Amino acid sequence: MKRNMKWAAGLLCLAVFAAMALGSGQSDSGETRQIVSGEGPKEADAGESSSDGSEDSEDSSGAAVTIDEQVLVDQDGIVVTATEYVTDSIWGDGLKLLLENNSDKDVTIGCNALIVNDYMIADLFSSIVAAGKKSNDTLYFSSTGLKAAGIENVGKIEIYFRVSDSATYDTVFDSECVVVETSEYANMDTVPNDAGIELYHQDGIRIVGKTVDENSFWGTAILLYLENDSGKNVGISLDDLSINGFMMNPLFSTTIYDGKKSIDDITVLSSDLEENGIEAIEEVELKFHIYDADSYSTIADSEPVTFSAQ
């Protein structure tokens, strides 16, 4: 029974990630509108990077991306070796990994965080390796996440691995950050994709509102650019979100490591909008809750932020 439940959960995760990899979380239907100020926060300067997957991606380098084979983790009998940079027509870009379990227990190897070109990027990677066995698996990067961040040339990959006991789910160890530099390191995209309206900027935390997509995968998505130069890893969530004066239950919680950036969506489910008779986003009001990602202690709670889209 437990094996069947794990298998079903795995299929669900694969389906969700497939939607992400294929870009189904972002609409090309013409329903995306730019966020505009409701209270007068500053407009963020538009960077020179492209976030729409333009043809420029092939200009800087026509060669395939490669890496040098390298051991990323060698601890407590667990060895993780990056063997190849791969590109799959469905799953997108990723790292092929050789996983070796020389311990006396079955383990699950996954990620606490994946960072590409200094952007927090979603991954789907979780591999069970029995005691004394090996496995070849691939850590894929979210194609949607790369596109939203304006990343066309992947040059630097930072990974925080998590190894847990497959039977008890207890953590065996969390790895230090491991860094992989690709053959495109010198050409990697570094210009922040921060064009939009600045909604919050305090104590090293910066949040920019970019677009509202009323035809996203789950409902309506409010796209944000987030930047963390606070000196600590932070988590950001929302309080008191309302749309057109009606309270909503958004899906949004993100973690941004120190010195890193993120592109993330506030998702409002279609059912919540329909229950309140909302057909178009006219005004959004919310508060940002910012906290220490390690201790969960509050860093700041913003004043109400109001904006709209056109």
Side-chain angles (χ1 to χ4, degrees), residues 119 192-194 206-208 224-227 261-263:
Y119 275 89
N193 186 17
D194 61 351
R206 182 167 177 250
I207 303 173
V208 174
L224 302 178
Y225 166 87
L226 308 105
E227 188 174 289
K261 304 180 284 286
S262 179
I263 299 285

Side-chain angles (χ1 to χ4, degrees), residues 33 212-216 218-222 241-244 246-249 266-284:
R33 297 183 290 151
V212 171
D213 181 357
E214 294 180 329
N215 192 27
S216 73
W218 299 111
T220 291
I222 301 169
L241 173 71
S242 66
I243 294 179
N244 300 359
F246 289 91
M247 301 301 296
M248 297 286 151
N249 295 303
I266 300 171
T267 299
V268 182
L269 297 178
S270 299
S271 56
D272 284 351
L273 297 172
E274 292 169 0
E275 287 175 2
N276 291 286
I278 298 174
E279 297 181 355
I281 307 298
E282 296 172 359
E283 183 180 81
V284 179

